[in-house]
Amino acid sequence: MTDFAKTRAFFDLPEGIIYLDGNSLGPLPSAVPVRLDHVMRLEWGEMVITGWNRAGWIDMPRRVGDRIARLIGAAPGTVVVGDTLSIKVYQALASALDLRPDRRKIVSDSGNFPTDLYMAEGLIRSLDRGHELSLSAPENLEAAIDEDTAALLVTEVDYRTGRRHDMARLIAKAHQKGALVIWDLAHSAGAFPVDVSGLGADFAVGCTYKYLNAGPGAPAFIYVAPELADRVTPALSGWMGHEAPFAFDLDYRAGHGIDRMRVGTPPILQIAALDAALDVWDEVDLADVRAQSVALSERFIAGVEAACPDLTLASPRDPARRGSQVAFRFEHGYAAMQAMIARGVIGDFRAPDIMRFGITPLYVGADEIDRAVGILAEIMATRAWDEPAYHRREAVT
Amino acid sequence: MTDFAKTRAFFDLPEGIIYLDGNSLGPLPSAVPVRLDHVMRLEWGEMVITGWNRAGWIDMPRRVGDRIARLIGAAPGTVVVGDTLSIKVYQALASALDLRPDRRKIVSDSGNFPTDLYMAEGLIRSLDRGHELSLSAPENLEAAIDEDTAALLVTEVDYRTGRRHDMARLIAKAHQKGALVIWDLAHSAGAFPVDVSGLGADFAVGCTYKYLNAGPGAPAFIYVAPELADRVTPALSGWMGHEAPFAFDLDYRAGHGIDRMRVGTPPILQIAALDAALDVWDEVDLADVRAQSVALSERFIAGVEAACPDLTLASPRDPARRGSQVAFRFEHGYAAMQAMIARGVIGDFRAPDIMRFGITPLYVGADEIDRAVGILAEIMATRAWDEPAYHRREAVT
């Protein structure tokens, strides 16, 4: 049984804050500054260039990848970390189109996070071979997969509403039609149990700054199914994906398996931060996290619905169809969220009217949920959101 | 006049070490751990998600890009940081091919760093439109540029020998033939004065972990000439390069100017490390750095040639044709370098027989150069390299 008092002690939470935005950026694990100080002063500072060997920097993308593999149901040696999620989407998609040269369709849905769609657009435009990005409403996604579909590009959990796709069904349908599946785990990894190999995903990608708490701009990860890993020819064929990077050959020869998804020199400080942030998972059962997330989400929804009649649930009511966030619609949602932040409850806002609340049992408990409901109820009752200062938009919303 | 005693004090050099490998990985600036501790504890830790606005994380790629712009002769607003050099090469090259749709040749030379060539190979293969990577010997590069050349992809300084291209000539020839120039500054930025806008480069890319001392896997940068910046359509069209990332539109609309070269969520910890590492340049005149680098290099060459007859200079003898490193060939160079490292002089080795020594006046002076020569002379005189332990190869050489 996961001890959530213990996991909570893993984090340095800001004093007096109720943090319901772990779906966007996880808080600081106290192990991270300690680890980075070590990496900077005792590895980079003392070993300098020899750190690549002596501190094992060169293998970190794979070693840390293995730690993530365990959280997403992947075998060791099938995940590497590096770059950003946008780049990893591009790699997976380029590989998928390459493996299905006679098909022209990339199927996705309007609930996907925009950068996935943008990267697909850019790839299609570069290739200039008549591919098409076919977007449907999330509920029609399964029906959109057909014999011309090269790849299904799907983010499991909608970044606005928290709506969760039925991945087993989608993958089965895609495979039945001969399409490959790219499963974006941005809002899944660390939020609930994931089984990429059990469900037979072809590619999976994700970021580590949300539920994996690795900090702003933390590296992404990519999984390639073992049976495909040696068959893909990387579009982004950087030296770290070469079979022998330090032979400095003039010609590219793809490395073995997942190693060929590495591109450039890995960002060691950010990967070390990720590595330290992952320590908490050694003590955690993701099934417990999921159960607790559902319990806290149900509590939050019930509380808000009882106290705030002007807010409408934007998330699916069935917890099985939600990720680990809860969203409400409110016309003045932006200002209401600013009012909450001013009162120490941090969630966030997505246009046009969605207030998002991340439910993260590792460091949020029933007490915080109840207090957050109370503060939101007071803001709504007193129309505290109707304060001009709360309507001024910031760069990042 | 640059005060090199002052710049040296900026770094935390390992005790008892003479560090001649700043051309591969610069040493730790003592400002970096202090800054990162601040970013982790007081920004990420205290502000969490609000750091994107309150700590200005969202603009860091451009703000830090402006600091690099000053070092490479670029105007403010023409450089952004992020990703890896491999990715930035890909972006520049894809843009160049896009701007020269009727041309089929990418011209480069065999002295280019392999990842530049690998990324070009991958792009050519993806596009599948009959492009060709035409590689010549470095001395024949200028002659290879012709009317079918879309892009000249050139790393100014050879990573093995330190041979420096005459960029003014190459750029003039490329432009005369209607080709675009991608100037890789990996071994140039921070090593000597660079003037990308004065010489009219179309694109410039570089890394920041060498002469800019920003740490292992520090982010790369990219410059796009202002007259081209609004005309390129990014191949890697990530959300951070969108005109309005936080509008979360379903369609990509490229941002203005250099912003469209941003891709995914920026690695804030690594960019903050870079920002802190750049502080030293506020007190430095790059012309002084160059003059001192030449003086120290000449001193090193003269010392080694006088004391070590078995070593052959692999770098050009004319300092004007060298970057800021000196290379010698020696059959047992790998072992000899291991012997040097065991005696506290850190340089590195590149197959098959090149011993590389980075000359970095910010933290290396005449005294270290003389001591390094003395240690190398002793190793050669006593055949200390003939020790089996020094012949065992490590992962990174």
Side-chain angles (χ1 to χ4, degrees):
Chain A
M1 195 65 197
T2 303
D3 177 352
F4 289 113
K6 205 165 158 193
T7 61
R8 185 192 188 111
F10 185 78
F11 294 92
D12 248 355
L13 294 162
E15 194 75 21
I17 292 292
I18 298 173
Y19 194 64
L20 304 179
D21 210 2
N23 54 316
S24 190
L25 178 68
L28 175 69
S30 45
V32 169
V34 177
R35 172 68 178 277
L36 271 200
D37 199 68
H38 176 94
V39 170
M40 288 187 282
R41 294 184 195 274
L42 300 181
E43 293 182 8
W44 176 16
E46 291 299 317
M47 303 176 188
V48 211
I49 188 68
T50 66
W52 287 106
N53 287 312
R54 288 169 61 201
W57 295 340
I58 197 69
D59 298 320
M60 283 183 77
R62 186 155 177 168
R63 211 165 58 238
V64 176
D66 279 347
R67 300 188 75 185
I68 291 173
R70 208 179 59 79
L71 303 177
I72 62 169
T78 63
V79 174
V80 284
V81 305
D83 304 298
T84 62
L85 181 49
S86 300
I87 295 291
K88 293 307 177 200
V89 165
Y90 192 86
Q91 288 184 287
L93 205 48
S95 299
L97 296 188
D98 206 47
L99 289 165
R100 292 289 180 272
D102 300 330
R103 295 175 174 228
R104 286 291 168 271
K105 220 184 263 183
I106 298 168
V107 169
S108 192
D109 68 85
S110 57
N112 202 344
F113 189 75
T115 207
D116 292 34
L117 308 178
Y118 301 161
M119 293 306 286
E121 272 187 64
L123 176 63
I124 288 171
R125 189 183 163 286
S126 284
L127 297 184
D128 194 22
R129 291 203 279 279
H131 289 96
E132 174 205 348
L133 176 60
S134 164
L135 280 191
S136 51
E139 58 277 20
N140 299 331
L141 184 57
E142 190 183 341
I145 306 165
D146 62 15
E147 262 85 23
D148 192 36
T149 304
L152 172 67
L153 173 62
V154 58
T155 298
E156 181 173 12
V157 177
D158 187 301
Y159 70 104
R160 289 160 311 190
T161 62
R163 183 267 313 128
R164 183 179 176 185
H165 275 302
D166 183 339
M167 290 305 301
R169 272 185 82 117
L170 288 174
I171 292 173
K173 173 72 184 284
H175 285 174
Q176 181 213 320
K177 296 288 182 185
L180 295 163
V181 177
I182 301 162
W183 182 353
D184 185 334
L185 297 166
H187 292 262
S188 309
F192 45 74
V194 170
D195 191 0
V196 293
S197 89
L199 295 191
D202 302 292
F203 300 89
V205 293
C207 63
T208 63
Y209 43 77
K210 296 178 185 290
Y211 296 94
L212 298 179
N213 312 300
F221 64 85
I222 185 167
Y223 160 85
V224 181
E227 64 275 18
L228 293 180
D230 279 322
R231 290 172 49 206
V232 302
T233 309
L236 303 176
S237 43
W239 74 307
M240 284 291 152
H242 193 280
E243 189 181 18
F246 295 94
F248 300 101
D249 293 335
L250 292 178
D251 292 313
Y252 184 76
R253 295 193 315 275
H256 298 294
I258 194 67
D259 284 340
R260 64 181 63 176
M261 289 292 118
R262 291 178 63 169
V263 187
T265 305
I268 296 305
L269 303 184
Q270 301 265 182
I271 297 179
L274 168 57
D275 194 27
L278 290 174
D279 286 351
V280 74
W281 299 101
D282 294 345
E283 329 230 353
V284 165
D285 182 336
L286 271 160
D288 296 338
V289 172
R290 176 62 172 170
Q292 180 75 344
S293 156
V294 168
L296 294 175
S297 300
E298 292 292 281
R299 187 180 186 108
F300 186 70
I301 292 169
V304 173
E305 290 194 324
C308 312
D310 292 339
L311 269 55
T312 315
L313 184 65
S315 303
R317 190 159 298 277
D318 175 2
R321 297 192 52 238
R322 288 196 306 263
S324 200
Q325 70 174 61
V326 171
F328 283 94
R329 292 188 191 281
F330 173 50
E331 190 191 345
H332 305 286
Y334 180 83
M337 186 54 78
Q338 294 301 310
M340 289 196 83
I341 292 170
R343 286 157 182 77
V345 183
I346 300 183
D348 65 19
F349 174 79
R350 285 292 173 259
D353 61 356
I354 286 190
M355 301 174 73
R356 298 197 304 179
F357 302 93
I359 309 295
T360 49
L362 294 191
Y363 50 84
V364 169
D367 177 52
E368 281 88 3
I369 293 295
D370 294 346
R371 282 191 286 139
V373 169
I375 288 167
L376 180 54
E378 201 204 314
I379 287 168
M380 295 306 297
T382 61
R383 293 176 60 97
W385 50 263
D386 201 9
E387 157 85 42
Y390 297 147
H391 292 258
R392 269 196 293 279
R393 298 289 171 130
E394 297 201 73
V396 179
T397 58
Chain B
M1 193 65 195
T2 303
D3 177 353
F4 290 112
K6 205 165 159 193
T7 62
R8 186 191 188 112
F10 185 78
F11 294 91
D12 249 356
L13 293 161
E15 193 75 23
I17 292 292
I18 297 172
Y19 194 64
L20 303 180
D21 210 5
N23 53 315
S24 190
L25 178 68
L28 174 69
S30 45
V32 169
V34 177
R35 173 68 179 278
L36 272 200
D37 199 68
H38 177 95
V39 171
M40 288 186 284
R41 295 184 194 275
L42 300 181
E43 294 181 8
W44 176 14
E46 290 300 315
M47 304 176 188
V48 213
I49 188 68
T50 67
W52 287 107
N53 288 313
R54 288 170 59 201
W57 296 339
I58 197 70
D59 298 322
M60 282 183 79
R62 187 155 176 169
R63 211 164 59 236
V64 176
D66 278 346
R67 299 188 75 186
I68 291 173
R70 209 180 58 82
L71 303 177
I72 62 169
T78 63
V79 174
V80 284
V81 305
D83 305 297
T84 62
L85 180 49
S86 300
I87 295 292
K88 293 304 175 202
V89 165
Y90 192 87
Q91 288 185 286
L93 205 48
S95 299
L97 296 188
D98 206 46
L99 289 165
R100 291 290 180 274
D102 300 328
R103 296 176 174 225
R104 284 293 168 268
K105 220 184 265 183
I106 298 168
V107 169
S108 193
D109 69 85
S110 56
N112 203 344
F113 189 75
T115 206
D116 292 32
L117 307 179
Y118 301 161
M119 294 305 287
E121 272 186 62
L123 176 63
I124 287 171
R125 190 185 161 281
S126 285
L127 297 184
D128 195 22
R129 290 203 280 279
H131 289 95
E132 173 204 349
L133 176 60
S134 164
L135 279 192
S136 52
E139 59 275 20
N140 300 330
L141 184 57
E142 190 183 338
I145 305 164
D146 63 13
E147 262 85 22
D148 192 35
T149 304
L152 171 66
L153 174 61
V154 58
T155 299
E156 181 174 12
V157 177
D158 186 302
Y159 69 105
R160 289 161 311 190
T161 64
R163 184 267 314 127
R164 182 177 175 186
H165 274 303
D166 182 339
M167 289 305 301
R169 269 184 85 118
L170 288 174
I171 292 173
K173 173 73 183 283
H175 286 175
Q176 182 212 320
K177 296 289 182 185
L180 295 164
V181 177
I182 301 163
W183 182 352
D184 184 334
L185 297 165
H187 293 263
S188 309
F192 45 73
V194 169
D195 191 0
V196 292
S197 91
L199 295 191
D202 302 292
F203 299 89
V205 294
C207 62
T208 64
Y209 43 76
K210 297 178 184 289
Y211 296 93
L212 298 179
N213 313 300
F221 63 85
I222 185 166
Y223 160 85
V224 181
E227 64 275 19
L228 293 179
D230 279 323
R231 290 172 50 206
V232 301
T233 310
L236 303 177
S237 44
W239 75 306
M240 284 291 153
H242 194 279
E243 189 180 18
F246 296 93
F248 300 100
D249 294 335
L250 293 178
D251 292 312
Y252 184 77
R253 294 193 315 275
H256 298 295
I258 194 66
D259 284 341
R260 64 181 63 177
M261 290 291 117
R262 291 180 63 169
V263 186
T265 305
I268 296 307
L269 303 185
Q270 301 265 181
I271 297 179
L274 168 58
D275 195 26
L278 289 174
D279 286 350
V280 74
W281 299 101
D282 294 345
E283 328 230 353
V284 166
D285 182 335
L286 270 160
D288 297 338
V289 171
R290 175 62 172 170
Q292 180 74 347
S293 156
V294 168
L296 294 175
S297 299
E298 292 293 279
R299 188 181 185 108
F300 186 70
I301 292 170
V304 173
E305 289 194 324
C308 311
D310 291 339
L311 267 57
T312 315
L313 184 65
S315 303
R317 190 160 295 277
D318 175 3
R321 299 191 51 237
R322 289 196 307 262
S324 200
Q325 70 173 63
V326 171
F328 283 94
R329 292 188 191 281
F330 174 49
E331 192 190 344
H332 305 286
Y334 180 83
M337 186 54 79
Q338 294 300 309
M340 289 196 83
I341 293 170
R343 286 158 182 77
V345 183
I346 300 185
D348 65 19
F349 173 80
R350 285 293 173 259
D353 60 357
I354 286 189
M355 301 173 73
R356 297 196 308 177
F357 302 92
I359 309 294
T360 50
L362 294 191
Y363 50 85
V364 169
D367 177 51
E368 280 89 3
I369 293 296
D370 293 346
R371 282 192 285 141
V373 169
I375 288 168
L376 179 54
E378 201 204 315
I379 287 168
M380 295 306 297
T382 61
R383 293 176 61 96
W385 50 264
D386 200 9
E387 157 86 42
Y390 297 149
H391 293 258
R392 272 196 291 277
R393 298 288 172 129
E394 297 200 73
V396 178
T397 59

